[in-house]
Amino acid sequence: MSTPEQLGRQLQQIALGNREAFQQLYLATSDKLFSVSLHILRREDWAEEALQDAFIKVWHSASDYSVQRGSVMNWLISMVRYRSIDMLRSKGNQTLGSDALPDLPSSEDDHLDIKLSNSENAEQLERCLDELQPSTRQSIQLAFIYGLSHHEVSAYLSEALGTVKSWIRRGLDSLKGCLQR
Amino acid sequence: MNYQSTERQHQLAARYVLGSMRGQARAKFQRLLMEYPKLRDEVTFWEQHLNELAAQLPDKSAPKSAWEAIERRLGWRRQQVTSNRGWRWLTATLAAILVVVTLSQTLLAPMPGVPQAERIAVIQNSDARTLWLLEQREQVLDVAAVGAIDPLANEDYELWMLPEGGAPPISLGLLPQQGTRTLNVPANVDLQNIAALAVSREPLGGSPLAVPSGPVLFTTDFVVVSKT
């Protein structure tokens, strides 16, 4: 895994048209980004398409990156996630019932609580997520990691749509308050 | 809607990054991001924190084909058509072309009294549905798209001639996806010297290489039509 500094240098080189740097960046990040996309799209062919689209955009818009946008990895994750979410819609966006989500961990277990520990931001996020009600935390994680809509989260957790919406809305408010402390 | 309200911006940005904002609302928000720098800052705030959740997901090996496809889509990858494997494949398809030639001779028998082109070609898909008709008039090719063509939004179909003797393909121009088009063939290209015609799918404007950069989809050949 490349360090954030290496990724930053590679991105600078890509902005100058350096193909070798582009391939290095791809090799260093594509397995993580493919996983991110696959969690949302749940089909390998779609996830591959999203990965391709995102990297082609990276090649053309490397010079748009600035450190104000967060780390390079953070920027890449956004690129892949947004492309994957857009594809959910363009690929038909069929509403998934709870029975159509075989790959998700059972709604009863705690498996969704991914342990965050690598960076300062991650530690802070973990602490703030822990302050939320479990159902609120789970709703936010389902939406973010698996790209579930409010409807899908509601079906998955067997909770009323209005309840899920209000959990997520209030959960994001609390999260922001905590993250800014 | 008041996008200047801090509270509103915070909720919209959070829902955008979370992914729960969908469809037209999402597209509209992406436009607003360009207009309101404050919104951009809110989005960055959420990305910096929430993306940590994605960063912790276990890696999953990306398919090898992904990198190859990226290189091809950027026009960097030399197309396999120039490799031995590609050429062997093309040779194999020449047998299939004979069937098309026979068929097109039947379909396009000259009508009495109508001036005929010297040579014609019919490009068909694997279901023998006709996609394009070509007529050669000296160094000019008149092309008509006749339907059943899969529309390409951001790509073009490009026509190639494969010279006799195995020389690399020569581009004859882009094929229309509907209607007709006249392709002017450079004087130094000898249209009599054609072993086969091929159609590839290419980036808009055609292959960035001297040879096809995208997949070869169809092949065919000219048929000499006796003049009346």
Side-chain angles (χ1 to χ4, degrees):
Chain A
M1 189 71 194
S2 303
T3 64
E5 292 73 26
Q6 283 171 323
L7 295 181
R9 278 196 297 275
Q10 283 160 5
L11 202 59
Q12 285 171 353
Q13 285 297 311
I14 293 167
L16 297 172
N18 184 329
R19 293 182 188 182
E20 201 180 321
F22 184 61
Q23 186 166 17
Q24 283 168 357
L25 184 84
Y26 178 86
L27 290 173
T29 61
S30 55
D31 289 355
K32 177 70 70 193
L33 297 174
F34 184 61
S35 174
V36 170
S37 182
L38 192 58
H39 275 79
I40 293 172
L41 290 164
R42 297 191 283 282
R43 267 186 58 167
E44 295 219 356
D45 53 343
W46 291 358
E48 182 186 333
E49 192 180 328
L51 185 72
Q52 287 178 24
D53 290 349
F55 268 96
I56 284 170
K57 195 168 174 192
V58 167
W59 173 255
H60 290 301
S61 60
S63 56
D64 293 346
Y65 168 79
S66 78
V67 284
Q68 277 85 42
R69 296 285 304 275
S71 70
V72 170
M73 195 61 201
N74 200 303
W75 186 66
L76 293 172
I77 286 173
S78 294
M79 206 91 92
V80 167
R81 281 192 72 249
Y82 297 152
R83 181 66 198 125
S84 303
I85 291 164
D86 287 344
M87 272 176 66
L88 272 182
R89 179 175 159 81
S90 66
K91 294 290 187 189
N93 193 22
Q94 64 278 34
T95 301
L96 299 166
S98 52
D99 55 342
L101 298 171
D103 301 337
L104 299 194
S106 129
S107 55
E108 281 80 38
D109 72 26
D110 220 22
H111 185 79
L112 278 173
D113 286 322
I114 289 169
K115 288 296 157 211
L116 299 164
S117 55
N118 271 6
S119 67
E120 204 177 309
N121 276 351
E123 280 173 22
Q124 192 187 11
L125 179 67
E126 183 173 30
R127 197 179 66 246
C128 292
L129 282 171
D130 279 346
E131 287 184 10
L132 301 177
Q133 293 292 324
S135 50
T136 300
R137 179 168 65 240
Q138 199 176 24
S139 300
I140 289 175
Q141 289 175 332
L142 283 167
F144 184 85
I145 295 171
Y146 296 96
L148 299 196
S149 66
H150 286 151
H151 279 279
E152 290 161 349
V153 174
S154 137
Y156 182 72
L157 297 178
S158 304
E159 291 286 347
L161 179 61
T163 307
V164 166
K165 279 186 177 174
S166 111
W167 281 347
I168 291 181
R169 192 181 64 247
R170 283 196 246 135
L172 291 169
D173 282 342
S174 311
L175 205 52
K176 179 158 192 194
C178 174
L179 289 169
Q180 285 181 321
R181 278 208 293 271
Chain B
M1 199 177 289
N2 180 10
Y3 296 105
Q4 306 282 9
S5 141
T6 310
E7 185 55 25
R8 184 84 196 135
Q9 287 180 352
H10 148 66
Q11 272 293 337
L12 288 172
R15 285 181 49 210
Y16 173 75
V17 175
L18 194 65
S20 56
M21 182 189 285
R22 295 289 169 87
Q24 290 189 341
R26 193 168 185 85
K28 186 175 178 191
F29 186 81
Q30 283 165 339
R31 290 196 297 275
L32 288 171
L33 273 182
M34 298 178 200
E35 285 177 49
Y36 296 93
K38 274 277 180 54
L39 267 186
R40 178 77 260 171
D41 293 345
E42 281 286 342
V43 164
T44 300
F45 169 85
W46 284 109
E47 286 173 349
Q48 286 186 348
H49 288 96
L50 287 179
N51 282 5
E52 294 294 341
L53 281 174
Q56 302 297 319
L57 291 172
D59 286 6
K60 166 93 180 160
S61 291
K64 267 218 172 86
S65 53
W67 174 250
E68 291 168 6
I70 289 166
E71 283 194 303
R72 198 163 49 242
R73 288 174 63 183
L74 288 170
W76 299 349
R77 199 172 181 80
R78 301 286 155 189
Q79 186 56 21
Q80 304 87 311
V81 166
T82 53
S83 73
N84 285 337
R85 197 182 52 162
W87 284 113
R88 272 204 298 278
W89 178 81
L90 270 183
T91 313
T93 60
L94 286 177
I97 289 168
L98 284 175
V99 176
V100 177
V101 169
T102 314
L103 183 68
S104 48
Q105 274 169 331
T106 318
L107 275 178
L108 297 163
M111 287 164 64
V114 179
Q116 294 299 312
E118 289 174 3
R119 297 202 299 171
I120 60 157
V122 182
I123 298 168
Q124 299 184 313
N125 63 15
S126 53
D127 300 327
R129 303 267 308 266
T130 299
L131 307 178
W132 290 276
L133 293 173
L134 276 69
E135 293 184 0
Q136 182 197 343
R137 293 181 286 118
E138 295 176 347
Q139 285 302 99
V140 171
L141 294 174
D142 291 317
V143 187
V146 293
I149 296 167
D150 286 336
L152 300 177
N154 292 307
E155 290 172 302
D156 273 319
Y157 291 106
E158 188 162 5
L159 178 69
W160 303 84
M161 69 170 262
L162 308 174
E164 301 270 11
I170 298 169
S171 174
L172 296 176
L174 301 178
L175 293 172
Q177 294 193 36
Q178 52 188 358
T180 60
R181 185 174 292 171
T182 300
L183 305 178
N184 293 303
V185 180
N188 60 350
V189 176
D190 180 6
L191 287 174
Q192 301 302 317
N193 176 33
I194 288 182
L197 294 166
V199 177
S200 67
R201 195 175 67 225
E202 298 293 346
L204 276 184
S207 172
L209 311 173
V211 295
S213 72
V216 172
L217 306 172
F218 319 107
T219 54
T220 188
D221 194 8
F222 274 117
V223 184
V224 177
V225 181
S226 50
K227 289 185 173 182
T228 54

